[in-house]
Amino acid sequence: MDNFDGKVGVVTGAASGIGRSMAERLCSEGMSVVLADIEEENLHETVDQIVADGGTATGVVTDVSSKDAIENLASETMKKYGAVHVLHNNAGVVAAGLLDDLTVNDWEWTIGVNLWSVIYGIQTFLPLIKESGEGHIVNTSSSEGLQASAGTGAYNVTKFGIVALTETLSNELNPFPKINASVLCPGPVRSRIVESERNRPERLWNDGAPAAGLVENDQSSDLLAGAMDPALVAELVVQAIQTNRFWIITHDETKEVVQQRAAALLENGSLSAPLYDFSE
Ligand SMILES: NC(=O)c1ccc[n+]([C@@H]2O[C@H](COP(=O)([O-])OP(=O)(O)OC[C@H]3O[C@@H](n4cnc5c(N)ncnc54)[C@H](O)[C@@H]3O)[C@@H](O)[C@H]2O)c1
């Protein structure tokens, strides 16, 4: 899809970080964009800003781990703009913990937000994109979808799952030359991902209390201070859609890890040291 003008896009996790930059970028390319997020206030602030900057956008408060909510997002999109061409399944969260510490609640929350959301997104939106005749689905995985660091096991499983889902989707789209898919595997990007716990629903808290996660909620963190600008990630995603490329790997370090991994795999070898380690 090389011409975005007048088309319709949907971005999840659009009130912050990568999703927000994607929504802004698609609007600046002339698309009408539906922004979905669970954080109502930030969502409306983002939509208001985009509209004030001359974009066409609307917000739909959505918990992406709910099938009903994704179906509502699709019907609101069709009601408002009558078609959909680009879907970016992007919302995601991280529950920190070693495998013998992660709770069932940690797993359920992470798999719901990161993986079920993408399954529901594809099931619900692909038929609508096919009706539009052309389009693109982007799913946000991670460098942790290509290697599995210590300390984020549930996250890693969902991100590997997203790579598998998107690869399957791309293969199944072969009969539809005007509809394609890409998987986004970012390294560190400036965002609020390390404060993911802010959005964990109470029913999935551990021990009846919200957890700190990788950093305390609402604390600015040094962890991602020098990380990539999300606007640059959005630029890479738009280029991938325009030139129909499947893999969107943002960082050279990730490419090196993939190279080492492939070499070890072909030799029946051992894992090399992971790029990141969240086990402390
Ligand atoms: N920032 C990084 O370094 C990095 C690296 C690799 C992958 N990613 C991935 O990028 C994606 C975007 O994250 P980000 O880094 O911009 O973080 P972020 O926390 O800034 O943005 C994530 C957005 O998802 C929303 N969200 C959380 N739970 C939700 C739910 N149940 N329903 C709907 N929306 C929900 C949040 O409110 C937030 O607006 C995630 O999938 C993340 O795993 C980020």
Side-chain angles (χ1 to χ4, degrees), residues 16 18 37 62-64 90 155 159 186 189 191-192 198-199:
S16 174
I18 295 171
D37 206 285
T62 306
D63 175 356
V64 294
N90 169 75
Y155 183 79
K159 296 301 183 178
V189 177
S191 79
R192 293 186 67 202
R198 71 193 190 277
N199 287 312

Side-chain angles (χ1 to χ4, degrees), residues 83-156:
V84 55
H85 303 89
V86 171
L87 169 67
H88 188 166
N89 288 306
N90 169 75
V93 293
V94 186
L98 302 178
L99 287 175
D100 48 2
D101 291 328
L102 285 171
T103 65
V104 170
N105 280 354
D106 294 331
W107 282 97
E108 200 177 321
W109 178 47
T110 310
I111 293 174
V113 178
N114 294 8
L115 193 54
W116 274 112
S117 61
V118 182
I119 297 167
Y120 296 145
I122 292 169
Q123 282 187 338
T124 309
F125 280 90
L126 184 55
L128 301 174
I129 295 174
K130 284 181 178 169
E131 267 174 37
S132 300
E134 71 169 325
H136 204 105
I137 295 180
V138 181
N139 297 324
T140 301
S141 175
S142 168
S143 54
E144 297 301 324
L146 303 167
Q147 60 138 36
S149 298
T152 51
Y155 183 79
N156 303 345

Side-chain angles (χ1 to χ4, degrees), residues 60-82:
V60 179
V61 177
T62 306
D63 175 356
V64 294
S65 67
S66 153
K67 186 168 189 284
D68 288 349
I70 295 286
E71 286 173 355
N72 176 62
L73 175 62
S75 74
E76 289 298 315
T77 303
M78 294 306 281
K79 232 189 284 172
K80 183 94 185 170
Y81 298 123

Side-chain angles (χ1 to χ4, degrees), residues 154-167:
Y155 183 79
N156 303 345
V157 166
T158 62
K159 296 301 183 178
F160 269 72
I162 289 169
V163 170
L165 259 173
T166 319
E167 220 170 302

